[in-house]
Amino acid sequence: MDLRVRALETVLAEKGYVDPAALDALVDTYQTKVGPRNGAKVVARAWTDPAFREWLLGDATAAIGSLGFSGRQGEHMVAVENTPSRHHLVVCTLCSCYPWPVLGLPPTWYKSAPYRSRVVRDPRGVLAEFGVTLPEGTEIRVLDSTAEIRYLVIPQRPAGSQGLGEEALAALVTRDSMIGAGLALAPTAAR
Ligand code: FE
């Protein structure tokens, strides 16, 4: 895959279709500047501000954009909320579609064929491998990202986090919890 990507980049650069420096700048941006801390800020705001939560659930692209997070692979965002009765888990069965502006680049497992195929057949089993065991009665919904729609999961706010401010709350929000493959950290675990 590495070789194929490099060959493709060489051909495109030689023909003048892409500027290698521009590609480097893009990769650097998403590898070092944009990441799941963005999404964590969105989730912490939703936990503390009911009006923002409503906006996020109704028009995620606009609500997320209001915090300054927008751009490629985040043009059509949908936010879903995990509750005691319903848990959402995100996959891209076709490839690796992922909400870059809020989560950065996808982890390797998200792009792997085993995750993409198994999560739709056995979400509970896959969650167990991530160390997540949900109550029997919790419905699990697997959401398939597309080239257009990208999902942000709002994890359940952890118990014992009542007194925390937005910044402390954001520290509890893990990348995996915003994919649905994990839960937000308990305040004690974060400390
Ligand atoms: Fe994809």
Side-chain angles (χ1 to χ4, degrees), residues 92 95-97:
C92 173
C95 45
S96 58
C97 298

Side-chain angles (χ1 to χ4, degrees), residues 57-152:
L57 291 171
D59 183 355
T61 313
I64 291 168
S66 77
L67 298 184
F69 311 133
S70 59
R72 285 162 207 272
Q73 318 295 323
E75 295 95 340
H76 304 284
M77 291 295 306
V78 170
V80 290
E81 192 174 51
N82 282 347
T83 66
S85 58
R86 183 177 293 162
H87 184 93
H88 299 86
L89 181 56
V90 181
V91 65
C92 173
T93 54
L94 190 64
C95 45
S96 58
C97 298
Y98 196 69
W100 294 5
V102 279
L103 294 188
L105 297 176
T108 307
W109 57 260
Y110 186 85
K111 298 184 271 189
S112 75
Y115 175 74
R116 286 157 40 210
S117 57
R118 284 192 48 223
V119 77
V120 286
R121 288 201 310 265
D122 179 22
R124 227 168 250 278
V126 170
L127 280 175
E129 284 166 28
F130 277 99
V132 176
T133 310
L134 298 172
E136 287 278 315
T138 302
E139 176 197 2
I140 301 176
R141 284 199 177 177
V142 178
L143 301 172
D144 197 358
S145 307
T146 68
E148 281 160 2
I149 295 179
R150 306 298 164 95
Y151 297 96
L152 177 72

Side-chain angles (χ1 to χ4, degrees), residues 35-44 69 101-103 152-153 173 178:
R37 294 342 299 157
N38 289 0
K41 285 179 194 158
V42 175
V43 170
F69 311 133
V102 279
L103 294 188
L152 177 72
V153 174
V173 183
M178 293 180 279

